[in-house]
């Protein structure tokens, strides 16, 4: 594909409604022209989690205006757009229907091609937009719905090396916060409390550490936190801080082991790659202690650590537009208007579904 491409992206898979216009130059570099994200956090916080019906309704109400706003900020008209990219899975089905149907309607009205994008592919390719990474590289996706270590080999070419066998990491933060009486979303609250806590006070389990596979498990850790809190009743502010700090430390150690193994495997399989890179994505990537752990791990193993700006690590439509641009540039076929949304859609078609993994299935 020789000409620069302008792609309109739409993201509605969970609790962020987002629209974006992204430019992909002939040389493969990219730029965000206009980007808007509307978080539904306030609508869901009273329920301690995302309520699918509320999410779908909120997407319907906001999406048209957000698309107009993204085009306006980008200074382009629909006629200037080369293709439309809409998230069509995985995620909450109601929201996916809203975004994909809107994308189809725009494609039909303008005659432009439609790309039905896998949300995980959006996360996986973001580092090429922000940092110009070349294939292959390794990605750790740690969000409210996913914890995966993915080998990114090319556009549309992914290998899942590890995944959670129970809770996602963000989910573990959220559940831990809830049982300690901290607000939703739990990650930022736990991180805040951990700052004044003693990480050595509780020796929480480090699930699967030492295991030869590259999978993750966090539900046992959450149970250990519950037991610690119950044994201290009534818990003080300092107890909570100590539990949070110890919980975070256990996760750091776990990631160090699991991801460390992934880096070694990458080096063994891709010895010729001169500057290997680990990319982190997902809301949990905001956590400073975990970031520092991953940075250290990369330094020790000769890897470049790439953490895109936070607003591009969490859910957004620029990554969806970019994935569409990459697919178009790679010559991959657009989707027909009969393409269906998929609440479950693994990035790696050969990956085995693990019992219990991603059971919430809501967030990616
Ligand atoms: O990627 P994201 O914004 O949404 C999806 O899951 O799609 O991730 C949200 C998750 C929540 O579980 C939240 O608790 C977690 O990211 N999170 C954090 C932090 N900030 C957000 N976890 C740990 N530390 C943080 N600072
Ligand atoms: Zn996501």
């Amino acid at each position: 594909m020789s000409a620069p491409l302008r792609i309109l992206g739409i993201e509605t898979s969970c609790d962020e409604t987002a629209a974006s216009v992204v430019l992909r130059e002939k040389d493969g570099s990219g730029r965000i022209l206009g980007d808007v994200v509307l978080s539904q956090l306030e609508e869901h916080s009273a329920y301690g989690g995302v309520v699918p019906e509320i999410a779908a309704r909120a997407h319907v109400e906001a999406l048209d205006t957000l698309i107009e706003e993204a085009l306006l900020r980008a200074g382009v008209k629909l006629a200037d757009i080369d293709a439309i990219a809409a998230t069509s899975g995985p995620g909450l089905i109601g929201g996916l229907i809203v975004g994909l149907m809107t994308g189809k309607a725009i494609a039909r009205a303008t005659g432009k091609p439609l790309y039905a994008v896998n949300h995980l592919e959006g996360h996986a390719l973001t580092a090429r937009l922000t940092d110009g990474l070349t294939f292959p590289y390794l990605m750790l996706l740690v969000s409210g719905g996913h914890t995966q270590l993915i080998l990114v080999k090319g556009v549309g070419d992914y290998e899942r090396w590890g995944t959670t066998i129970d809770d996602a990491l963000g989910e573990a933060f959220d559940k831990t916060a809830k049982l300690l009486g901290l607000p939703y979303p739990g990650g930022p609250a736990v991180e805040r409390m951990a700052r004044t806590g003693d990480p050595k006070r509780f020796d929480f389990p480090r699930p699967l550490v030492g295991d030869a596979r590259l999978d993750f498990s966090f539900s046992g850790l959450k149970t250990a936190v519950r037991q610690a809190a119950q044994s201290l009743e009534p818990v003080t502010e300092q107890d909570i801080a100590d539990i949070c700090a110890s919980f975070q430390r256990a996760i750091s150690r776990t990631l160090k082991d699991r991801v460390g193994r992934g880096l070694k495997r990458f080096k063994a399989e891709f010895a010729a790659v001169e500057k290997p890179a680990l990319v982190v994505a997902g809301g949990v990537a905001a956590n400073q202690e975990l970031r520092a752990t991953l940075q250290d791990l990369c330094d020790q193993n000769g890897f470049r650590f790439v953490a895109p700006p936070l607003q591009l690590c969490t859910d957004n439509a620029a990554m969806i537009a970019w994935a569409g641009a990459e697919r178009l540039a790679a010559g991959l076929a657009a989707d027909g208007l009969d393409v269906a949304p998929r609440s479950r859609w693994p990035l790696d078609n050969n990956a085995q579904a693990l019992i219990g993994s991603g059971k919430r299935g809501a967030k990616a």
Side-chain angles (χ1 to χ4, degrees):
M1 190 62 56
S2 55
L5 302 170
R6 285 178 186 77
I7 310 292
L8 169 67
I10 297 172
E11 159 62 37
T12 55
S13 67
C14 190
D15 58 347
E16 262 93 28
T17 319
S20 184
V21 180
V22 162
L23 176 81
R24 188 184 190 279
E25 299 282 7
K26 281 184 262 182
D27 64 4
S29 63
R31 198 149 47 88
I32 298 172
L33 301 180
D35 191 40
V36 275
V37 181
L38 183 70
S39 171
Q40 304 173 2
L41 204 60
E42 279 177 18
E43 273 134 294
H44 300 287
S45 62
Y47 305 95
V50 179
V51 183
E53 289 75 13
I54 294 178
R57 233 171 255 262
H59 289 306
V60 172
E61 279 163 19
L63 188 56
D64 289 0
T65 318
L66 288 189
I67 292 172
E68 274 177 30
E69 180 66 25
L71 290 166
L72 196 71
R73 288 191 195 179
V76 298
K77 300 199 170 16
L78 272 180
D80 307 321
I81 295 290
D82 296 287
I84 295 111
T87 304
S88 61
L92 293 171
I93 197 71
L96 292 170
I97 290 172
V98 174
L100 187 57
M101 288 304 281
T102 306
K104 285 181 184 181
I106 297 173
R108 181 90 174 91
T110 58
K112 314 271 180 186
L114 171 78
Y115 282 87
V117 170
N118 184 314
H119 179 91
L120 303 175
E121 181 166 49
H123 281 301
L125 297 176
T126 300
R128 286 170 51 79
L129 167 66
T130 56
D131 294 77
L133 279 198
T134 51
F135 300 120
Y137 55 89
L138 208 52
M139 181 190 57
L140 175 69
L141 174 62
V142 276
S143 68
H146 287 272
T147 303
Q148 301 194 353
L149 197 58
I150 293 172
L151 172 67
V152 184
K153 285 198 284 190
V155 179
D157 192 2
Y158 310 95
E159 250 178 58
R160 195 188 71 197
W161 280 7
T163 188
T164 177
I165 58 171
D166 41 57
D167 292 346
L169 185 51
E171 196 177 357
F173 269 95
D174 293 338
K175 287 180 176 171
T176 293
K178 199 169 182 176
L179 66 91
L180 294 175
L182 299 173
Y184 174 85
V190 169
E191 181 171 27
R192 215 176 310 116
M193 290 302 291
R195 276 190 211 122
T196 53
D198 173 7
K200 296 203 191 92
R201 179 161 165 205
F202 300 96
D203 190 19
F204 289 137
R206 289 151 198 189
L208 294 184
V209 163
D211 193 285
R213 291 166 303 165
L214 293 174
D215 293 324
F216 303 85
S217 164
F218 297 107
S219 75
L221 183 54
K222 175 193 65 196
T223 308
V225 166
R226 177 181 296 120
Q227 284 164 349
Q230 280 168 350
S231 73
L232 295 170
E233 285 290 343
V235 285
T236 64
E237 195 73 1
Q238 190 57 49
D239 290 335
I240 294 180
D242 293 346
I243 291 175
C244 287
S246 304
F247 167 81
Q248 223 168 250
R249 178 63 56 91
I251 288 170
S252 263
R253 296 284 152 84
T254 305
L255 286 185
K256 201 166 177 181
D257 175 80
R258 311 281 66 219
V259 179
R261 269 170 202 265
L263 300 188
K264 291 195 172 65
R265 177 170 167 191
F266 186 96
K267 274 202 161 164
E269 288 192 19
F270 299 99
V273 173
E274 270 180 30
K275 273 199 184 153
L278 172 74
V279 179
V280 71
V284 184
N287 189 289
Q288 295 301 325
E289 184 179 337
L290 301 187
R291 261 181 194 245
T293 299
L294 294 171
Q295 178 73 63
D296 278 356
L297 189 65
C298 284
D299 292 346
Q300 286 160 14
N301 287 278
F303 270 68
R304 178 177 164 201
F305 178 55
V306 179
L310 206 60
Q311 71 272 18
L312 292 175
C313 277
T314 55
D315 289 350
N316 66 88
M319 69 178 190
I320 303 303
W322 178 251
E326 293 257 66
R327 295 187 80 83
L328 179 55
L332 299 180
D335 291 280
L337 293 186
D338 56 349
V339 62
R342 300 166 64 177
S343 57
R344 282 175 182 266
W345 185 7
L347 202 48
D348 175 354
N349 288 323
N350 297 317
Q352 300 284 316
L354 291 188
I355 296 164
S357 85
K359 55 191 172 228
R360 188 167 72 168
K363 296 185 127 200

